[in-house]
Amino acid sequence: MSGITLVLRALHHGENALADDLAAAAERHAAEHEIHHVALDLAAWSAEHGSVLRSTAKRYDLDLPAGAAGTGHHAEGPLTTALLTTVREKASRLLGGRPEPGILLLRDLRDLHLAATENSLHWEMLGQAARAAKDRELLATVSDCHPQTLRQMRWTNTMIKVLSPQVLSSLGQPGQ
Amino acid sequence: MGRDGIAEPWGARTPYGRGQRWPTRVDTHLQEGVTAGDVDRWVRTASLLHSNGDAMDIAVRDGRIVGVRGRADDRVNHGRLGPKDLYGWQANASPDRLRRPMVREGGRLVECDWPTAMGRVVARSRELLDERGPGAIGFYTTGQLFLEAYYTLAVIAHAGIGTAHLDGNTRLCTATAAEALKESFGSDGQPGSYTDIDHADTLALFGHNVAETQSVLWMRMLDRLDGPEPPRLICVDLRPTPVARRATVHLAPRAGTNVALLNALLHEIIRTGRTDPAFIEAHTVGFEELRDRLERCTPAWAADICDVPARSIEQAADILGSAERLTSTVLQGVYQSHQATAAAVQVNNLHLLRGMLGRPGAGLLQMNGQPSAQNTRECGANGDLPGFRNWENEEHVAELARLWNVGPDDIPHYGPPTHAMQMFRYAEQGTIRMLWISGTNPAVSLPELSRIRGILNQERLFTVVQDLFLTETAQLADVVLPAATWGEKTGTFTNADRTVHLSDKAVEPPGEARSDLDIFLDYARRMDFRDQDGGPLVSWHDPETAFEAWKRCSAGRPCDYTGITYDKLRGPSGIQWPCTPERPDGTERLYADGMRWAHPDMAESYGKDLVTGASVTEVEYRSLNPDGKAVLKAAEYLPPHEPPSPDYPLQLTTGRTLYHFHTRTKTGRAPQLNAAAPDVWVEVCAADARAAGVAEGDLVDVTTPRGSVRAKARISAIRPGLLFLPFHYGYWDTASGHEPAEDGPGRAANEATITDWDPVSKQPLFKTCAARLRLVSRGDGPAPAPTTTSAAPFPPHDVPPTTGGTAAWTDEYVPGGEGEARR
């Protein structure tokens, strides 16, 4: 296995996992409307990266599995995913009137940020490997996709910055 | 001469040619039986029922308002008035005005005196500050108060309470205008001027139904269209508006696809070499990235997404590309849609790519919806720091702290201000425990009303509502404060092209009602807010001293008022900011001499990602734009979040009608306006109506995953696949008071709209969701929709035309007589 295929495999796994995690966070926090909608938009980016990586991998005789269905706003998931989604969204709406889910949201945003950071580092490695190998086609793929991963990181960071003061100070008051 | 101002809302034409002065036409409407000779005095003001700032005088007789007359010498309207200007004032004298404060006792609102009501507000504020801190208190205001009240409220919230939870309902109407200007030019501030219409060879209206939202501005455009050398007119609107009917090219894209359409227009401008390379080089950054990102956005690509012929896109791009003096306007069709800021910024990009800024006719107008929305923004009553200061710039915060004599840390600036939708979310979660709502009616105007009612109904949330009437929202309040309105108080406000007007007090408010400024000043006194030397934080005591305080805050900023005084505003009518001692006549156009406000040290914002809303950091901004040029920002198109589906096969959009403003608290109480559009309707095209078995006037339900609205159907020339509901109608004039009758479908369009917003401007998207249509019962007459507007029946049915009769008689006077005005 070459260095490039090693990174392709890790990144493919990471992007598909992030697509699933973003979609799951969107479901868990359905009552946080901005999180819900933007996370689904960003899940679509990662799902797209996953499929780009899968077709890229074929050029290196690497056969990667197809990503999970059911991510993004418009994909039709299998029945079980749909049911699970409904249950999670209901739970989110039932808990929507309580402050505690705020802390869970911060935790999810932190985890999403770390996952996106890991992917970003893998894109960096893939780009450098492509440069070293003078593989222009691969470099073009990296140039197309990596900026979106950086934007996913900025978004999670921004939302943490925006939401932390209210979530943490409302939990931190004595006697509550 | 004269007209029925309901049947002929735009009045007689006074055509004029390019570069000429728009002729004067003075419109007057007096109460039946009153003549000009009966009027005791005329009191100066401007319209408070839209953003155009039509200058007018109030006719007073025996201490009562008896009519209005447009002011001939004003730069905005040259004497003209629209229907809401002519008839809206009657609501002031409505018998159901609030006259005394009320507090909730045993579940019911009961009248009380001011000390009792204010005592409760102060006690709850202190309790929450002690127990939970300033983050438990939020303020939700409007775009309809005066500058002096906004600035006072902003100081109270930012430095008195110390909360970041402050916003206006301007979030629903004009947040995207502000954000798009910040993204492109570094700071809020309207670039263009209404006089650009006098000079333009091309007018482009993007989602701006000017004929109904700023009817006097449309009169100006109509007079150009009927004069020599008329401008070409591009209209992007998914409804058959009066503008669309006059357009050279009308593009009606599928709802939620503005970014795709605009990207294709820009693609064509670049492909055909219609850019201004010298202007781009001298005044912008980001051209290469924009060009690359637009490369694939061909008209054929957009045609599929938008369902608009590629040839029409090319034709529109050719007109925009060949214009020598292009004036563009943008409003709710862009702002309340999916990807709002991303789309509005592309219109800025159009002007930057073509060098269409800062000279007569090269005008860019990111419009406002509400009359004083501009002041909400500049005074920081929308949560931003006053004077377009940047919360991420420590020097800007320090400047404010010096001005208010408080510590910089006393002004919350650790994050962006909390926008309205997030405030309601915090209230839903229980971390905001007090909401003070002034001059706005969220129980009708926010999306997904069952959710909003649920939030306002919570026992743990203490709500203060300050308004003229017992609105749907006031009915849910814990304390209701009766406010004085336009004509009953003095103050200033600023229209969409930066024109400042003074509105003088003409008559006494009813009962014990007080001006919004007096209410906020009273609160500040009772809360005993102090500066760091123990002096009063709010040191002013009336409108003029508040205005003087604001002038000091505005000094050196883009919205500089230091050259304006109340005395000056009582002179020649209408002054555009910035106005300083060095520029005493004000400033007609921004950016006539460079981009100054985008400099990293000056900018109000370092910008955001146009798709995710993520912040650009100061370091990134400084490296991207060290010299402070305009920023060309690209955005990729994303499909709408709720596309049509088998269960909800249609798209639903909501909006306005000419005869009403917001939730009809005033216009529903003006007889001529109410009669012109007395109840809710839904617009549907003939083919969709046929498929649902629906005919003109039939009762139907419009249903989305949130809820249903019951309305009569108007068969119109609206785009196939699209339904339109006016958002004005609520419940105050129904038996159930503030909500739909038990378990029934509603009357308010927002029962059906989705909770979703543009992640950049945080403006809710009222114009894109999926819906279905169902016949309830056959009608017994036409829908209660006007025939004079976008809701005109099509194909023409046997629908009687909308008229106002003698009660709507309006006198039109065209001085000089030459070239007598024609219909």
Side-chain angles (χ1 to χ4, degrees):
Chain A
M1 180 176 283
S2 76
I4 285 180
T5 57
L6 193 73
V7 182
L8 278 173
R9 189 186 290 277
L11 186 52
H12 177 258
H13 175 77
E15 287 286 12
N16 283 332
L18 182 56
D20 289 347
D21 291 348
L22 280 162
E27 289 159 16
R28 253 197 308 280
H29 304 289
E32 296 286 349
H33 296 89
E34 184 169 340
I35 301 288
H36 175 79
H37 290 293
V38 179
L40 288 178
D41 288 338
L42 300 193
W45 288 358
S46 279
E48 173 67 18
H49 292 177
S51 77
V52 165
L53 288 163
R54 185 162 177 252
S55 51
T56 302
K58 291 205 170 84
R59 291 201 289 118
Y60 301 90
D61 296 326
L62 176 65
D63 192 21
L64 295 171
T71 53
H73 271 286
H74 313 293
E76 293 293 324
L79 185 62
T80 45
T81 313
L83 281 173
L84 200 59
T85 303
T86 313
V87 172
R88 281 187 192 143
E89 287 194 359
K90 281 226 166 93
S92 165
R93 293 193 202 285
L94 284 174
L95 286 171
R98 299 185 54 81
E100 291 81 359
I103 198 80
L104 300 179
L105 175 59
L106 290 182
R107 190 202 60 186
D108 279 351
L109 286 167
R110 181 200 63 188
D111 291 350
L112 291 170
H113 185 81
L114 292 174
T117 306
E118 191 172 310
N119 290 345
S120 171
L121 293 171
H122 282 136
W123 282 115
E124 195 70 56
M125 291 177 206
L126 198 60
Q128 291 302 84
R131 282 186 187 91
K134 297 186 181 162
D135 186 337
R136 292 184 142 194
E137 202 178 328
L138 181 60
L139 191 58
T141 299
V142 175
S143 308
D144 274 352
C145 298
H146 191 191
Q148 289 185 323
T149 306
L150 294 169
R151 291 165 74 189
Q152 290 171 326
M153 290 164 57
R154 285 202 195 101
W155 176 70
T156 43
N157 192 80
T158 295
M159 293 317 294
I160 284 172
K161 184 167 181 176
V162 170
L163 295 170
S164 295
Q166 187 76 2
V167 169
L168 296 175
S169 63
S170 67
L171 288 176
Q173 294 292 321
Q176 299 303 310
Chain B
M1 303 237 346
R3 69 181 194 268
D4 169 348
I6 295 291
E8 299 177 68
W10 304 290
R13 294 282 56 78
T14 51
Y16 69 122
R18 193 169 145 186
Q20 294 175 357
R21 186 181 187 278
W22 186 29
T24 296
R25 184 193 84 196
V26 179
D27 295 347
T28 308
H29 172 73
L30 295 174
Q31 190 177 302
E32 272 186 290
V34 175
T35 64
D38 301 329
V39 174
D40 296 337
R41 56 203 173 89
W42 296 90
V43 180
R44 180 180 282 225
T45 184
S47 177
L48 202 72
L49 287 169
H50 50 73
S51 68
N52 207 51
D54 301 337
M56 61 169 107
D57 294 319
I58 297 176
V60 180
R61 188 191 181 202
D62 298 335
R64 301 190 57 211
I65 301 178
V66 292
V68 289
R69 179 180 68 195
R71 219 164 38 248
D73 70 331
D74 194 90
R75 61 175 303 281
V76 170
N77 55 326
H78 295 211
R80 287 165 190 74
L81 296 176
K84 291 190 283 275
D85 308 337
L86 291 167
Y87 314 115
W89 53 269
Q90 297 163 99
N92 278 36
S94 190
D96 58 342
R97 279 288 298 276
L98 292 172
R99 306 171 78 86
R100 298 193 72 204
M102 290 192 277
V103 291
R104 193 164 290 279
E105 287 289 354
R108 288 183 50 242
L109 283 172
V110 294
E111 288 194 358
C112 65
D113 59 13
W114 276 98
T116 304
M118 292 306 287
R120 289 215 184 171
V121 178
V122 167
R124 189 71 185 127
S125 304
R126 289 229 170 92
E127 206 171 81
L128 285 170
L129 284 174
D130 288 348
E131 288 173 8
R132 293 175 167 264
I137 299 176
F139 296 88
Y140 183 46
T141 188
T142 182
Q144 300 161 46
L145 307 187
F146 291 164
L147 176 153
E148 294 77 2
Y150 291 137
Y151 182 57
T152 305
L153 175 62
V155 175
I156 288 172
H158 285 292
I161 298 287
T163 179
H165 309 326
L166 167 63
D167 200 0
N169 67 2
T170 47
R171 190 62 57 189
L172 321 179
C173 86
T174 185
T176 299
E179 192 60 42
L181 293 169
K182 290 181 206 174
E183 294 297 329
S184 299
F185 303 104
S187 176
D188 196 353
Q190 185 70 280
S193 169
Y194 286 171
T195 50
D196 287 326
I197 290 159
D198 307 345
H199 301 278
D201 64 21
T202 305
L203 298 173
L205 276 59
F206 296 92
H208 181 202
N209 182 9
V210 65
E212 301 197 49
T213 54
Q214 289 90 7
S215 54
V216 169
L217 195 61
W218 178 234
M219 296 175 199
R220 195 171 197 146
M221 294 180 187
L222 281 173
D223 285 343
R224 274 298 316 275
L225 291 170
D226 281 3
E229 283 189 277
R232 297 171 296 179
L233 177 62
I234 306 276
C235 172
V236 177
D237 203 310
L238 35 71
R239 291 173 74 211
T241 62
V243 181
R245 285 179 218 133
R246 293 297 302 262
T248 319
V249 179
H250 173 209
L251 304 171
R254 196 177 266 137
T257 64
N258 289 327
V259 168
L261 180 68
L262 282 155
N263 280 352
L265 291 172
L266 296 184
H267 168 99
E268 281 296 282
I269 301 274
I270 294 174
R271 186 187 66 81
T272 55
R274 255 77 171 265
T275 58
D276 180 342
F279 186 95
I280 292 171
E281 171 66 27
H283 297 298
T284 72
V285 294
F287 176 69
E288 285 75 18
E289 191 187 340
L290 178 68
R291 185 194 55 206
D292 294 350
R293 298 271 288 277
L294 291 171
E295 200 181 325
R296 287 173 238 174
C297 302
T298 61
W301 165 82
D304 280 349
I305 294 170
C306 306
D307 187 28
V308 166
R311 219 172 55 80
S312 302
I313 300 175
E314 287 160 6
Q315 199 187 350
D318 185 54
I319 291 174
L320 295 170
S322 60
E324 286 170 13
R325 289 172 189 267
L326 168 66
T327 293
S328 299
T329 66
V330 189
L331 197 59
Q332 307 306 5
V334 169
Y335 299 163
Q336 293 185 335
S337 284
H338 181 58
Q339 294 199 285
T341 310
V345 161
Q346 302 319 310
V347 180
N348 295 346
N349 288 347
L350 169 64
H351 280 254
L352 290 166
L353 289 174
R354 299 227 55 236
M356 292 287 170
L357 275 175
R359 58 192 163 86
L364 170 61
L365 292 158
Q366 297 282 354
M367 296 295 295
N368 304 341
Q370 293 182 81
S372 63
Q374 188 57 52
N375 309 106
T376 313
R377 277 147 61 179
E378 64 207 23
C379 294
N382 65 346
D384 287 346
L385 293 186
F388 301 152
R389 286 178 175 84
N390 185 345
W391 62 269
E392 294 182 279
N393 184 325
E394 290 295 338
E395 185 41 46
H396 288 197
V397 178
E399 202 174 70
L400 264 190
R402 283 194 294 275
L403 184 74
W404 295 341
N405 192 25
V406 298
D409 290 345
D410 296 330
I411 304 169
H413 62 284
Y414 37 76
T418 312
H419 60 92
M421 299 302 290
Q422 190 67 46
M423 262 197 260
F424 277 83
R425 174 64 189 138
Y426 287 155
E428 183 175 37
Q429 278 186 320
T431 62
I432 283 184
R433 292 293 176 101
M434 169 175 157
L435 257 187
W436 185 332
I437 299 167
S438 48
T440 185
N441 192 9
V444 180
S445 55
L446 287 183
E448 201 177 343
L449 290 180
S450 58
R451 171 174 175 262
I452 299 301
R453 283 188 295 266
I455 293 170
L456 292 172
N457 257 323
Q458 295 173 102
E459 189 73 30
R460 64 185 175 187
L461 181 69
F462 181 79
T463 18
V464 182
V465 174
Q466 173 176 326
D467 215 312
L468 315 181
F469 297 98
L470 198 63
T471 62
E472 290 83 346
T473 306
Q475 292 172 45
L476 300 172
D478 295 291
V479 174
V480 177
L481 304 175
T485 186
W486 172 94
E488 301 163 355
K489 60 182 183 180
T490 292
T492 54
F493 59 101
T494 306
N495 80 342
D497 88 334
R498 293 174 280 103
T499 304
V500 186
H501 288 117
L502 179 69
S503 181
D504 261 324
K505 178 173 172 176
V507 297
E508 290 300 323
E512 296 173 25
R514 288 184 184 174
S515 77
D516 300 284
L517 174 64
D518 282 342
I519 296 171
F520 293 141
L521 289 173
D522 185 38
Y523 179 67
R525 239 179 345 254
R526 288 170 188 271
M527 289 296 289
D528 198 27
F529 295 126
R530 298 275 161 184
D531 66 20
Q532 59 191 2
D533 296 325
L537 175 70
V538 178
S539 54
W540 46 95
H541 57 272
D542 67 1
E544 191 160 3
T545 51
F547 185 77
E548 291 298 318
W550 160 248
K551 279 165 64 178
R552 290 191 289 280
C553 182
S554 76
R557 298 300 302 162
C559 49
D560 195 322
Y561 280 67
T562 50
I564 307 180
T565 61
Y566 269 31
D567 274 352
K568 194 163 168 178
L569 289 170
R570 292 189 171 107
S573 188
I575 302 171
Q576 285 175 291
W577 65 245
C579 176
T580 61
E582 297 76 41
R583 301 185 80 143
D585 298 329
T587 308
E588 194 158 26
R589 293 175 186 85
L590 303 187
Y591 310 123
D593 46 9
M595 296 296 160
R596 181 163 180 238
W597 299 109
H599 190 278
D601 294 338
M602 306 279 198
E604 183 183 8
S605 164
Y606 301 127
K608 293 177 181 173
D609 186 310
L610 288 187
V611 171
T612 67
S615 307
V616 175
T617 66
E618 179 181 352
V619 174
E620 287 169 309
Y621 186 78
R622 281 187 185 279
S623 84
L624 165 83
N625 194 16
D627 303 320
K629 297 180 177 184
V631 183
L632 288 164
K633 276 197 159 176
E636 65 261 49
Y637 164 74
L638 289 183
H641 292 153
E642 191 176 82
S645 63
D647 279 349
Y648 302 100
L650 302 169
Q651 284 192 304
L652 170 65
T653 188
T654 70
R656 286 142 193 80
T657 186
L658 170 64
Y659 300 105
H660 284 300
F661 179 63
H662 273 223
T663 61
R664 288 166 65 248
T665 45
K666 280 185 174 177
T667 54
R669 289 172 169 97
Q672 300 90 333
L673 299 173
N674 191 51
D679 208 342
V680 67
W681 70 89
V682 57
E683 289 164 33
V684 55
C685 77
D688 290 332
R690 216 166 23 246
V694 169
E696 169 73 29
D698 284 353
L699 199 61
V700 297
D701 278 351
V702 176
T703 302
T704 73
R706 274 73 53 191
S708 292
V709 179
R710 184 159 292 179
K712 286 188 171 175
R714 161 57 48 89
I715 315 301
S716 82
I718 196 169
R719 225 195 108 81
L722 184 71
L723 304 173
F724 170 87
L725 281 171
F727 89 112
H728 308 290
Y729 301 89
Y731 306 98
W732 60 263
D733 51 346
T734 68
S736 50
H738 68 274
E739 60 187 351
E742 193 128 1
D743 293 332
R747 187 191 191 207
N750 281 320
E751 304 293 346
T753 48
I754 187 170
T755 305
D756 188 6
W757 54 84
D758 174 25
V760 188
S761 67
K762 317 298 183 187
Q763 182 157 352
L765 43 101
F766 294 101
K767 295 197 187 284
T768 322
C769 70
R772 64 170 173 250
L773 181 71
R774 185 180 70 88
L775 174 69
V776 175
S777 62
R778 289 282 165 225
D780 50 7
T787 60
T788 43
T789 63
S790 314
F794 183 86
H797 290 265
D798 192 16
V799 177
T802 301
T803 59
T806 53
W809 180 255
T810 294
D811 185 67
E812 288 182 354
Y813 168 65
V814 180
E818 29 100 33
E820 188 185 337
R822 50 188 164 81
R823 298 279 133 187

